[in-house]
Amino acid sequence: MTTTADSATTDPQTDLVAQIAEELARAFRRMRRGEMKELAPFGLTFATARVLRILGRAPEPMRIGDLAARLEIAPRSATSMVDALEQVSLAERRPDPSDRRSVLVVVTPQGRELLDRIGRTRLENARELFGALGEVQQGQLLALLSALNEPRPHHQGSVA
Amino acid sequence: MTTTADSATTDPQTDLVAQIAEELARAFRRMRRGEMKELAPFGLTFATARVLRILGRAPEPMRIGDLAARLEIAPRSATSMVDALEQVSLAERRPDPSDRRSVLVVVTPQGRELLDRIGRTRLENARELFGALGEVQQGQLLALLSALNEPRPHHQGSVA
DNA sequence: CGAATATCAGTGACACTGAAATTA
DNA sequence: CTAATTTCAGTGGCACTGATATTC
């Protein structure tokens, strides 16, 4: 398997993954651009809205480190995200009673309210983008993307 | 509207499109991060590599404006991209003989050479990511993403 | 003249790393 | 003391807008 193509530029397999990469990037950019425009009036960006959603879905206040892990970004970056949310009163830091090194982040009532609103906005935006697909196709797309993102056995970890 | 918004609403029912959006973003970030690491040694970034590929595929030298349109970015941004490529001698500006307002961008021999190399690198990276899918599934994914990106008439109201 | 083309200047978004402070 | 957690400081990537030549 993995018929390692010698003629990389003419291999159909090559073109396939390369094309997927292109289309994936394009879809993401379009989605991001659209959402940025929708969210701006609410004082949110694409990234901060995502953070707010994640915080809102969390069953309990999250620590910065956990948030970073969930977002797949560096802890320092999570700090800045929380800064941004706190600055517009959509989230708040609280001391963690069980560990004074930690900080717990909670969504404020305003944050809850906004989440509800942007949930609908986002939905329309997403429908605009994904509306080209029928429901069955949407399901397929979700399944395929989820499969991509699923952690799977890897050789040679990038352990430093 | 989640009036009974209790804590543990992970809501697997949160709209299909919302989940697609999440997975799409995740896949993009993973891809981007992986490629950035691969490309850095060559003095390229995710975006400049894309520009170089597009220039390399063009049958003839591209004008900045056309490049911007192809990239779906502002002309001013395309200028910066070309700056970056020119700075590392992978592309060059040329006067457009037919219009002195315009600039034509061409890939240098070094650029060609590098394109060939990163083509292979990129392939490995993409296989790493998309390898979770079989060839048939890859084809499906490409078809679905392409359908998303296809320009289509605006519509109000949804299928449901 | 108005329109198109590219560039200059400044900014915003979002991620990174490395170093420091606090606490376990 | 070592390790974990967060934050500070600085930087890199990549896009944007508005203003400014230059040329059509």
Side-chain angles (χ1 to χ4, degrees):
Chain A
M1 61 203 59
T2 2
T3 54
T4 17
D6 305 290
S7 51
T9 45
T10 50
D11 182 9
Q13 171 80 20
T14 298
D15 291 342
L16 188 52
V17 291
Q19 283 180 54
I20 294 175
E22 291 267 340
E23 298 293 341
L24 176 63
R26 188 151 121 96
F28 172 79
R29 276 187 269 264
R30 289 161 62 92
M31 179 177 77
R32 184 178 191 277
R33 201 171 300 184
E35 281 197 29
M36 283 288 275
K37 281 198 175 121
E38 304 282 354
L39 294 168
F42 300 113
L44 284 176
T45 67
F46 184 72
T48 54
R50 178 182 171 225
V51 176
L52 190 59
R53 283 195 305 272
I54 288 174
L55 289 173
R57 279 200 295 260
E60 31 183 287
M62 293 183 79
R63 295 186 311 168
I64 297 276
D66 294 339
L67 183 58
R70 173 65 181 78
L71 294 166
E72 297 181 290
I73 61 177
R76 179 62 182 89
S77 302
T79 292
S80 295
M81 289 290 116
V82 173
D83 286 346
L85 287 176
E86 202 164 32
Q87 203 146 17
V88 290
S89 304
L90 297 175
E92 275 177 9
R93 281 176 168 88
R94 280 191 200 167
D96 181 345
S98 70
D99 187 338
R100 268 177 302 178
R101 293 173 302 177
S102 297
V103 170
L104 297 180
V105 186
V106 296
V107 178
T108 63
Q110 298 103 294
R112 294 272 167 209
E113 201 178 327
L114 187 52
L115 264 178
D116 207 48
R117 253 198 293 179
I118 66 176
R120 277 178 258 124
T121 304
R122 174 179 165 87
L123 191 55
E124 290 191 19
N125 187 337
R127 270 207 246 269
E128 175 87 8
L129 179 61
F130 300 122
L133 305 180
E135 208 166 325
V136 173
Q137 288 175 313
Q138 286 180 6
Q140 287 177 353
L141 180 55
L142 177 58
L144 289 168
L145 290 174
S146 298
L148 279 192
N149 292 328
E150 241 169 55
R152 47 185 189 286
H154 254 240
H155 54 70
Q156 179 191 345
S158 51
V159 202
Chain B
M1 49 186 206
T2 65
T3 43
T4 53
D6 292 340
S7 27
T9 39
T10 317
D11 250 351
Q13 276 298 21
T14 34
D15 214 66
L16 188 55
V17 291
Q19 284 182 58
I20 295 175
E22 291 268 338
E23 298 293 340
L24 177 63
R26 188 151 122 97
F28 172 79
R29 286 191 198 94
R30 289 161 64 92
M31 181 177 75
R32 184 178 191 278
R33 200 171 300 185
E35 282 197 27
M36 284 288 274
K37 282 198 175 121
E38 304 282 353
L39 293 168
F42 301 111
L44 284 176
T45 66
F46 184 70
T48 54
R50 177 181 170 226
V51 176
L52 190 60
R53 282 196 305 272
I54 287 174
L55 290 173
R57 279 200 294 261
E60 28 184 292
M62 293 183 79
R63 295 187 311 169
I64 298 277
D66 295 338
L67 183 59
R70 174 64 181 80
L71 293 166
E72 296 181 292
I73 61 177
R76 179 65 183 86
S77 302
T79 292
S80 295
M81 288 292 116
V82 173
D83 285 347
L85 288 177
E86 203 165 31
Q87 203 148 18
V88 290
S89 304
L90 297 175
E92 274 177 9
R93 281 175 169 89
R94 279 192 200 167
D96 181 344
S98 70
D99 187 337
R100 268 177 301 179
R101 293 172 303 178
S102 297
V103 171
L104 297 180
V105 187
V106 295
V107 179
T108 63
Q110 299 101 294
R112 294 271 167 209
E113 201 178 326
L114 187 52
L115 264 178
D116 206 49
R117 252 198 293 178
I118 66 176
R120 277 177 259 126
T121 304
R122 176 179 164 86
L123 185 56
E124 290 191 20
N125 189 338
R127 283 225 181 96
E128 177 90 5
L129 180 60
F130 299 122
L133 305 179
E135 207 167 327
V136 173
Q137 289 175 313
Q138 287 179 7
Q140 286 177 354
L141 180 56
L142 178 57
L144 290 168
L145 291 175
S146 298
L148 280 192
N149 291 328
E150 246 169 52
R152 68 202 117 82
H154 260 251
H155 70 64
Q156 201 70 313
S158 26
V159 265

